[in-house]
Amino acid sequence: MNTPIFDFVSRYAAGNPARFHMPGHKGTGLLGCENLDITEIQGADSLYEAEGIIAQSEGNAASLFGTRHTYYCAGGSSQCLKAMLHLALQATGRKTILAARNAHKAFVHAAALLDFSVQWLWPQPYQLLRCDVTTEMLEQALSQMDPPPAGVYLTSPDYLGHIQPIAELSEVCHRHGVLLLVDNAHGAYLHFLPTPQHPMDLGADLCCDSAHKTLPVLTGGAYLHLAGDFGGDLAARQALALFGSTSPSYLILQSLDLCNRFLSQDARQQFALTAARAGELKQQLSRQGWTVAKSEPLKIVVCSPSPEYPGTELARRIKQAGVEWEYADPDYLVLMASPGNREEDFLRAAQGLSQCPCPAQPMAVSTMAPPERVLSIRQALLSPWEEVPLSQALGRICGAPTVSCPPAVPVVVSGERISCDALAVLARYGIHCLAVVKESI
C-alpha cells in the first residue's frame, strides 16, 4: 500500500527548502513535528479539489473499506456528518430527516445550518444514552410519512457501544425508497473485524467515521463514505468544503494516509486480538459480580452497582490505579480499547475495578415524555440566548441542545419547551444551567 501524501511531505521536508509559504513556523517550532506541517504548495494537492496525491490516497482508503467513494476530512466526523446530510437533502430535494433521538449535537447544528426539519424516533422505554430502532418501529414511522423523508439517520455504535440492526433497517429504508445515513463515529474499525460489521458492509448509503477514535489517526481525522455518486466528486467535495476550514491539517491527512498501510497489513489480526482481550476483561469483570453491558467489541461498559457507587465514583477510583476513562456518569463507566493499548493497560483496568465494591442493584430509570416543539431548530439556535439556572427554566424554550455526552438522547433539543420531566433528568445528570431563547421584552 503506497502512502502518497506522507511520501511527498517527507521528501519535501528532507530537501530543507527555504519556506516562503504558510505556515508561519517555517518547519521549525516547539512541538518538533513542524517540518511535516505544510500547506497546499505545488504538488501537495488540495483536499477539496483533490486530483493528485490526496485523491490517490483516498482511492486507497475506498478500496480498503470496499466503498464506492471514501473522502478524507481533517475536521472530525462532525464535518462529515453535516456533509452527508447536505448530500442527502440535495439528492432527494426533500427537507425532513427521520432520526433516532440519540443524535450527536453536530446533527442538531446541521439542522440549523441546512434548515431541515427533524422527526424523531424516541427511545422506548426512555433512556438517555441509547435509542434502539427496530424494523417495526422504522416501518411504522416511514409508512406514516408523506412525503417520505430525505433519509433515515442512525447513530451506530452509540456511546455505550450498542449497534443498531443496520442490515435489517437498510432493507426497510430501501423498500420505502429512502436513504440510510449512519453516524459511525465510534466504529471505523468495524470493517476490519474477522466478520466485517461496518454500516457500509450492511447496506448504508452514506456514513461518517471518526477515524481517530479507534484507528491510529491523529485527532480530527475522519472519513465520509458513499455507496453511490450523489452528484459526483465535485458535489461531495463541495459538501465537505461547506463545513470545513480552507486550511486542513496536512499532519492529519498524513496520518490518514499512513493508516491505509496499517489497514492493508495486519490490522485484522490486531483488531481480532484486541477484541479478544477486551472480551476477556469483560468476562473477568462479570465473574467478579459487575454488570457489564453488551456492546461492540472494543468498548467495556460497566454499569454502576448502586446509587452509592455511581459511574463517576468508579472513574475516580480507577484513576488512582493509573487508568483514564472515556466517559463516566451516574449510571455507567465506559472504557475504549484499541490495538494501541498494551497488556499492562488491561491489567490496570482490572486491578482498579477489583478494588471497588460491586453489590448488584437495579438502577433507577428516568422517565420522560417527548417535549413540545415550539420553534424550529434553526430558529432557536440562531435566536438570541440567555443562560438561566435550572430552577428558572421550566416552560422556557431550549436554545442550545442539552445532553450529558455525545452522542446521547438529548433531554431537550433547540426549539423544544422545557418540561418538569426534562428538569428532573437534567438535575440527575448534574446540569445546573441551560441556554434558553430570550423572551421578547
Side-chain angles (χ1 to χ4, degrees), residues 15-363:
N16 195 28
R19 300 192 183 203
F20 283 94
H21 61 77
M22 299 182 287
H25 55 62
K26 305 303 181 183
T28 63
L30 302 176
L31 290 174
C33 60
E34 286 85 353
N35 66 317
L36 297 178
D37 182 35
I38 64 168
T39 188
E40 292 90 345
I41 59 175
Q42 185 177 10
D45 210 358
S46 178
L47 182 58
Y48 302 127
E49 299 86 22
E51 55 185 18
I53 58 174
I54 294 176
Q56 294 172 36
S57 185
E58 289 175 334
N60 290 341
S63 68
L64 288 164
F65 280 93
T67 61
R68 182 75 173 269
H69 301 284
T70 290
Y71 294 94
Y72 289 164
C73 176
S77 58
S78 294
Q79 181 184 355
C80 293
L81 181 159
K82 297 180 181 80
M84 77 173 182
L85 286 161
H86 180 54
L87 289 171
L89 294 164
Q90 279 194 323
T92 62
R94 303 168 192 158
K95 296 293 288 182
T96 301
I97 297 290
L98 177 62
R101 180 77 175 193
N102 61 330
H104 193 285
K105 57 187 173 184
F107 173 82
V108 180
H109 297 159
L113 294 170
L114 295 169
D115 196 19
F116 61 81
S117 60
V118 182
Q119 180 169 322
W120 296 106
L121 292 167
W122 198 261
Q124 300 293 336
Y126 174 79
Q127 47 189 316
L128 188 65
L129 294 183
R130 180 164 163 172
C131 182
D132 297 358
V133 179
T134 65
T135 54
E136 294 78 14
M137 181 192 304
L138 183 58
E139 181 74 50
Q140 181 180 13
L142 287 174
S143 297
Q144 294 173 351
M145 296 184 72
D146 185 21
V152 170
Y153 177 94
L154 304 174
T155 300
S156 180
D158 62 23
Y159 214 71
L160 297 184
H162 173 66
I163 295 178
Q164 302 280 11
I166 299 295
E168 292 84 355
L169 297 176
S170 69
E171 291 181 5
V172 176
C173 289
H174 297 154
R175 188 165 62 250
H176 285 266
V178 173
L179 298 172
L180 177 59
L181 291 67
V182 180
D183 175 358
N184 182 56
H186 285 254
Y189 78 98
L190 290 172
H191 179 70
F192 303 94
L193 292 173
T195 301
Q197 300 176 35
H198 194 281
M200 298 302 288
D201 297 316
L202 303 175
D205 297 291
L206 303 97
C207 180
C208 64
D209 291 353
S210 185
H212 72 86
K213 285 184 170 62
T214 55
L215 302 180
V217 170
L218 292 179
T219 299
Y223 305 110
L224 172 62
H225 302 294
L226 308 180
D229 282 334
F230 295 97
D233 185 71
L234 178 61
R237 294 194 186 280
Q238 288 304 303
L240 285 164
L242 184 63
F243 301 104
S245 169
T246 55
S247 301
S249 166
Y250 268 79
L251 293 174
I252 294 175
L253 294 178
Q254 288 172 80
S255 71
L256 287 164
D257 187 43
L258 286 171
C259 185
N260 288 339
R261 180 175 291 169
F262 164 75
L263 294 176
S264 70
Q265 294 176 341
D266 62 347
R268 291 186 187 278
Q269 179 184 6
Q270 290 198 42
F271 279 116
L273 290 172
T274 305
R277 186 62 186 89
E280 291 171 3
L281 177 57
K282 294 177 189 180
Q283 292 174 6
Q284 179 183 350
L285 295 173
S286 295
R287 289 194 297 269
Q288 292 174 357
W290 294 99
T291 299
V292 180
K294 182 179 179 182
S295 64
E296 43 99 346
L298 297 191
K299 273 204 176 73
I300 300 103
V301 181
V302 181
C303 301
S304 169
S306 70
E308 290 75 28
Y309 285 94
T312 49
E313 174 61 19
L314 300 182
R316 187 188 68 81
R317 292 197 175 208
I318 67 168
K319 190 177 180 69
Q320 295 175 347
V323 178
E324 195 67 40
W325 65 95
E326 168 62 25
Y327 173 74
D329 73 4
D331 299 328
Y332 299 101
L333 172 69
V334 179
L335 308 177
M336 285 179 65
S338 85
N341 284 110
R342 305 159 296 173
E343 174 62 18
E344 177 188 349
D345 298 338
F346 290 99
L347 294 175
R348 281 189 183 185
Q351 180 184 9
L353 284 167
S354 68
Q355 298 172 1
C356 302
C358 56
Q361 293 184 18
M363 295 300 297

